[in-house]
C-alpha cells in the first residue's frame, strides 16, 4: 500500500509541474479544482480564446490524445455544465480540456506536449 501511495504522490507531482509549465506558456490558463482534492493523474484546464475542439485536434496532430470536458461528458457538444456552475463563462467552459496520464507518463513527455502546443498557438 505504501508503494501505491508513493506512486500517486509521484504522479501528482508530475501533474503539478506540468500545470506550472503550461502556465509559463499560457499565463491565462485556468485549472479547475486546483485547490481541491482531485485525481493525481488528471489535469482539467482551459485557455481563454482557444476552443477545446481545436485544441483536441491540434494535440492529435502531434500524436497526443486528450479529452474535451470531463470524462463523464466527453461526448457532449455542450461546454462543461459544472464549470459554468462554478462561475466560468460559456466561452471559458468551451475551452476546457482534460489531460490524463499514466504511471508510465514522464514529466519530459508532458513538457514536450506543452512546448508543441505552445508552438502551435504562438
Amino acid at each position: 500500500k505504501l508503494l501505491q501511495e508513493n506512486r500517486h504522490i509521484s504522479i501528482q507531482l508530475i501533474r503539478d509541474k506540468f500545470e506550472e509549465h503550461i502556465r509559463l506558456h499560457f499565463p491565462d490558463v485556468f485549472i479547475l479544482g486546483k485547490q481541491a482534492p482531485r485525481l493525481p493523474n488528471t489535469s482539467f484546464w482551459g485557455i481563454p480564446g482557444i476552443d477545446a475542439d481545436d485544441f483536441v485536434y491540434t494535440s492529435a496532430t502531434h500524436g497526443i490524445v486528450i479529452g474535451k470536458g470531463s470524462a463523464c461528458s466527453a461526448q457532449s457538444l455542450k461546454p462543461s455544465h459544472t464549470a459554468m456552475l462554478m462561475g466560468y463563462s460559456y466561452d471559458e467552459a468551451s475551452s476546457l480540456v482534460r489531460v490524463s496520464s499514466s504511471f508510465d507518463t514522464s514529466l519530459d513527455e508532458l513538457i514536450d506536449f506543452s512546448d508543441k502546443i505552445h508552438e502551435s498557438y504562438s
Side-chain angles (χ1 to χ4, degrees):
K1 182 169 175 149
L2 182 60
L3 180 60
Q4 185 177 17
E5 287 176 17
N6 286 339
R7 290 184 81 185
H8 281 101
I9 291 169
S10 176
I11 201 165
Q12 179 179 335
L13 291 172
I14 289 171
R15 178 205 63 206
D16 292 347
K17 290 198 177 295
F18 166 65
E19 289 175 352
E20 288 172 17
H21 197 75
I22 286 287
R23 186 170 302 285
L24 289 174
H25 288 315
F26 302 98
D28 294 340
V29 69
F30 57 97
I31 301 166
L32 266 68
K34 179 105 174 115
Q35 304 302 325
R38 54 190 173 130
L39 292 173
N41 71 318
T42 303
S43 182
F44 192 32
W45 44 270
I47 301 168
I50 300 177
D51 183 75
D53 289 322
D54 294 337
F55 202 89
V56 168
Y57 175 78
T58 300
S59 298
T61 64
H62 293 292
I64 300 157
V65 178
I66 63 173
K68 180 183 105 171
S70 66
C72 58
S73 66
Q75 300 303 317
S76 176
L77 297 176
K78 297 178 183 176
S80 169
H81 176 70
T82 303
M84 293 194 324
L85 287 174
M86 293 172 67
Y88 291 98
S89 71
Y90 185 91
D91 288 339
E92 288 170 326
S94 296
S95 74
L96 289 169
V97 294
R98 184 185 71 259
V99 177
S100 299
S101 58
S102 74
F103 289 116
D104 296 325
T105 306
S106 71
L107 178 58
D108 288 340
E109 290 172 314
L110 291 172
I111 296 296
D112 186 53
F113 163 65
S114 173
D115 293 343
K116 286 178 180 176
I117 293 301
H118 179 252
E119 290 171 13
S120 296
Y121 288 98
S122 293

